[in-house]
Amino acid sequence: MEYSIKSIRPFIGAKDFETSRNFYLDLGFNEFQIPESKMSFLSIKGFGFYLQNAFVKDWVDNSMLFLEVENLEDHLDQLTKLNLEEKYKGVRISKIHRNDWGNEFFLHDPSGVLWHIGEFNTNP
């Protein structure tokens, strides 16, 4: 089978929808509200996800997304300057972890969704 894929858009939940919306807007995401569905599509440069006004603890506690970036150190520095940990309860940003495949740091959103933000090694 041959696919002609244009995007993949996961759905994540929010404990407090307005807080999560504001968090992602502070991160630089653009928002397209879908009021009839009680959710928003949040995107950056064509990549995005649906933020739902719904919270199921087991689901959200097990939600993880991987965001691949260029220049991981710069990305972490930019996020740190936003003071998200002080502004939003429950938000945590880790230090960079070095792995065989590349490097990453972790960002927990206000609901507990875990973001892996990483950069793959360019040398095999």
Side-chain angles (χ1 to χ4, degrees):
M1 176 179 260
E2 188 173 317
Y3 293 102
S4 182
I5 296 173
K6 294 175 72 174
S7 72
I8 187 166
R9 299 177 178 192
F11 290 77
I12 64 170
K15 186 181 272 187
D16 178 316
F17 186 69
E18 289 304 313
T19 298
S20 291
R21 278 182 66 240
N22 289 326
F23 171 78
Y24 287 110
L25 292 173
D26 282 351
L27 284 179
F29 283 87
N30 299 305
E31 179 184 34
F32 176 78
Q33 293 182 340
I34 311 168
E36 64 277 3
S37 299
K38 297 182 182 177
M39 69 177 148
S40 290
F41 178 67
L42 294 154
S43 66
I44 294 177
K45 296 185 177 181
F47 298 98
F49 62 94
Y50 292 99
L51 179 67
Q52 295 182 276
N53 189 4
F55 182 75
V56 176
K57 184 173 177 27
D58 287 343
W59 168 47
V60 171
D61 285 351
N62 287 288
S63 293
M64 292 187 279
L65 297 150
F66 188 95
L67 177 67
E68 182 184 1
V69 298
E70 292 181 11
N71 200 324
L72 188 64
E73 290 81 8
D74 283 352
H75 199 81
L76 177 57
D77 185 52
Q78 290 176 36
L79 282 180
T80 303
K81 288 178 182 175
L82 295 174
N83 296 314
L84 298 169
E85 292 172 299
E86 291 80 28
K87 188 172 182 180
Y88 296 100
K89 183 179 177 181
V91 169
R92 296 187 319 265
I93 303 172
S94 77
K95 295 180 179 177
I96 293 176
H97 297 265
R98 310 286 177 196
N99 303 295
D100 292 341
W101 54 265
N103 304 311
E104 68 181 332
F105 66 88
F106 306 104
L107 169 67
H108 289 85
D109 85 353
S111 298
V113 172
L114 175 59
W115 285 78
H116 293 247
I117 301 174
E119 182 177 40
F120 292 102
N121 289 335
T122 54
N123 299 328

